[in-house]
Amino acid sequence: MAYLIDPDPRCLLARPDLAEQALEGLVPAARYRPTRPWRCRIGFAPITDEGGDPIGEILFGEAFDLLEEADGRGWGRARRDGTVGHVDLDLLEPLTALPVARVATTEAQVPLNALMAEMDEVEAENLADFYRFDPDLATAAERLLGARYRLGGRSRAGVDCAGLVQQALFACGHAGPRRADGQARLGQAIAVHDRRRGDLGVWLRTDDGPGAWTGHAAVVVDAERLIHASSTHGGVVIEAFDVADARCRADGLAAPVFRRL
């Protein structure tokens, strides 16, 4: 039997022994089960791989489609960005109401872009409806300036390079792939010398080594600078493009690609 495969198999909630019911007839598995909708009940919760290493994070109110429970962990997929992995069950709760607003500042008790249902309590000045967005990616990214670097993170409490870009994309009303290689396919390609404020810059890995991390991503601040979450600097910084570019290439990444939304 022929099966259809998603263009990004990392977002498929499927293993050889188990897959979500929606994939029956599309992806081979020994058995299929329906998912159950849960949501993050605290500020943020890490998503980990089978070995417990971080591969992502869900924020307060974001949905997690749960397929399997074992040893206090749930295996499923973050609905907002497609990350498949494990979340501690005590950090989740059943999803009983759809969100009505998103957090639009970094001053609330929960992170930027968290999703709020009617019963959730957050000051009104920190909220925006789903039709009001930041107009500029660089401005959105600058909201997290000074946040510490944390692999897998997506909030002021800790953020990695792709997490910073993803948060800026969400704040501006765009789709937000979780990994740098997905971000490198957004919008339209532009030449390096044509870059301007709000463009994306991505340095991709040149190998097929293990791990979920596919490169380094940043947002252009102006013709000379960018903002990114840098493990070298330990956090979100604005840095000269030439300096960041030299370091990325020295680390074995490819020449950057620039994209304009």
Side-chain angles (χ1 to χ4, degrees):
M1 177 178 180
Y3 291 91
L4 300 175
I5 300 298
D6 189 284
D8 188 349
R10 297 171 300 189
C11 295
L12 292 176
L13 188 51
R15 306 185 309 233
D17 65 311
L18 176 65
E20 64 174 313
Q21 192 74 52
L23 295 176
E24 187 171 5
L26 301 175
V27 175
R31 55 200 170 103
Y32 302 88
R33 289 180 180 173
T35 59
R36 291 180 292 136
W38 289 58
R39 74 168 194 162
C40 181
R41 69 175 187 84
I42 62 171
F44 56 87
I47 303 174
T48 61
D49 62 17
E50 190 67 35
D53 293 324
I55 56 174
E57 198 167 72
I58 52 172
L59 307 181
F60 181 90
E62 289 185 335
F64 187 77
D65 291 317
L66 184 66
L67 184 60
E68 182 182 58
E69 300 177 34
D71 301 322
R73 294 199 301 167
W75 182 61
R77 181 178 56 237
R79 190 180 298 175
R80 202 174 193 182
D81 67 11
T83 301
V84 172
H86 300 266
V87 176
D88 288 349
L89 290 172
D90 61 358
L91 306 182
L92 302 173
E93 64 185 6
L95 178 64
T96 58
L98 295 177
V100 296
R102 67 179 183 87
V103 174
T105 77
T106 57
E107 308 302 320
Q109 299 178 30
V110 294
L112 177 69
N113 292 320
L115 301 178
M116 312 303 293
E118 287 186 355
M119 70 279 197
D120 298 322
E121 296 182 1
V122 169
E123 300 84 352
E125 60 267 25
N126 293 318
L127 297 179
D129 64 33
F130 294 117
Y131 302 99
R132 182 165 65 85
F133 300 103
D134 287 345
D136 174 63
L137 281 175
T139 298
E142 286 166 355
R143 293 177 183 273
L144 293 172
L145 191 62
R148 71 183 182 92
Y149 182 89
R150 186 179 75 241
L151 189 63
R154 294 174 55 211
S155 75
R156 176 161 286 282
V159 63
D160 60 31
C161 65
L164 173 69
V165 172
Q166 184 192 54
Q167 286 292 73
L169 289 164
F170 283 154
C172 292
H174 298 295
R178 182 60 185 93
R179 298 178 178 91
D181 61 342
Q183 294 168 3
R185 294 191 292 270
L186 296 173
Q188 300 295 320
I190 58 171
V192 60
H193 57 270
D194 288 334
R195 67 185 185 274
R196 69 187 187 201
R197 183 176 177 85
D199 291 336
L200 301 181
V202 183
W203 292 256
L204 294 174
R205 285 175 59 168
T206 57
D207 60 29
D208 295 321
W213 312 110
T214 58
H216 185 70
V219 178
V220 175
V221 172
D222 54 39
E224 304 299 329
R225 301 178 300 161
L226 51 77
I227 182 170
H228 60 156
S230 166
S231 59
T232 299
H233 293 286
V236 178
V237 298
I238 294 176
E239 186 173 27
F241 165 74
D242 289 345
V243 174
D245 182 44
R247 185 168 59 248
C248 286
R249 298 199 199 203
D251 289 340
L253 300 180
V257 296
F258 286 89
R259 310 291 293 190
R260 181 167 298 158
L261 301 181

